[in-house]
Amino acid sequence: MGEAAAGERRQRTDKQRNRTHILEVAEEFFAEQGITGSLDAIAKRAGVGPGTLYRHFPNREALLAALLQARDEELEARRIAIQREVTDSRAALTQWLQALDKWVTAFDGLPEPLRAALTEGTSPLALTCQGFVTTTEDFLRAAQRDGHANPRVRGRDLFLSTLATAWARGAALADESSPDALVSLMRTGWETPARQPTPDSDEGPSAP
């Protein structure tokens, strides 16, 4: 009985070691090739059979979800920091969208499966995306209440716009100025102009 239990522990340890190794190799591979790279090529580089990889990660979305887990935690920590430290709702929404942009550009080609996850509820990425859409909505509503954001804009719109601008930056027509231009263009779509101070009537020029 003791030997059987020890054998099971070894199997679990080996399984976890294989999973961790596959993730490390996939992280490096996707960083080089983009997320459309062959999963079989990842298995080969990791020194395991394709069957081993698919037992851990049955599809590309499952592998991506596992790779993004650490980044999800970083993004969540950033959310908490913004909500705790930034009192201006316009600045808070801006900083959250910047953090979200960094998350969606972790790998080349990532925006597309994230977009698909919003319409395909079975995707392992769906729950994560929905959670960040909700967070975006929270930041947006605070800015709308303070008159800093267009009341017709939705959190889902901003999330999709972030994906779209991330995708466009990788397009053939994009150049080094495109990232800032696209972010600025998106901001003009959600932000309301800052109110200019109105001079008091008794501070105007005196009558001749």
Side-chain angles (χ1 to χ4, degrees):
M1 192 69 177
E3 291 182 1
E8 290 178 3
R9 283 198 299 271
R10 282 194 298 271
Q11 288 180 351
R12 287 195 297 269
T13 299
D14 290 344
K15 184 177 181 179
Q16 182 59 44
R17 186 182 297 114
N18 279 338
R19 186 180 190 279
T20 300
H21 180 57
I22 291 170
L23 284 173
E24 290 171 349
V25 172
E27 173 95 18
E28 178 183 84
F29 187 86
F30 283 157
E32 296 172 1
Q33 309 281 341
I35 63 165
T36 58
S38 166
L39 297 190
D40 287 354
I42 292 175
K44 183 176 181 180
R45 183 182 290 192
V48 300
T52 298
L53 185 148
Y54 288 113
R55 278 194 295 274
H56 288 285
F57 310 104
N59 51 46
R60 189 179 305 274
E61 288 74 20
L63 180 56
L64 283 172
L67 285 173
L68 287 173
Q69 183 176 359
R71 291 177 171 84
D72 295 347
E73 294 169 356
E74 292 173 2
L75 187 54
E76 178 64 11
R78 183 63 184 138
R79 175 194 67 80
I80 294 171
I82 293 172
Q83 291 180 328
R84 183 176 61 243
E85 300 168 6
V86 182
T87 57
D88 180 86
S89 58
R90 187 199 307 268
L93 176 56
T94 299
Q95 291 185 29
W96 168 252
L97 292 176
Q98 290 170 343
L100 194 61
D101 177 80
K102 182 179 179 181
W103 179 75
V104 303
T105 55
F107 302 109
D108 184 38
L110 184 58
E112 174 53 29
L114 293 176
R115 182 205 61 78
L118 289 171
T119 56
E120 301 172 6
T122 58
S123 170
L125 296 168
L127 186 60
T128 295
C129 287
Q130 289 294 348
F132 291 144
V133 168
T134 299
T135 299
T136 304
E137 186 73 36
D138 292 341
F139 279 108
L140 174 63
R141 286 178 178 172
Q144 288 171 332
R145 286 193 300 269
D146 294 339
H148 297 322
N150 188 322
R152 293 176 295 178
V153 177
R154 302 175 301 171
R156 185 184 184 91
D157 300 329
L158 287 184
F159 185 87
L160 288 173
S161 295
T162 302
L163 296 183
T165 55
W167 174 88
R169 289 206 297 267
L173 290 176
D175 58 25
E176 61 183 14
S177 67
S178 296
D180 289 341
L182 289 166
V183 170
S184 177
L185 184 62
M186 185 177 79
R187 181 165 180 165
T188 61
W190 67 259
E191 186 178 36
T192 57
R195 295 176 180 174
Q196 298 298 320
T198 302
D200 295 333
S201 58
D202 58 356
E203 291 181 359
S206 58

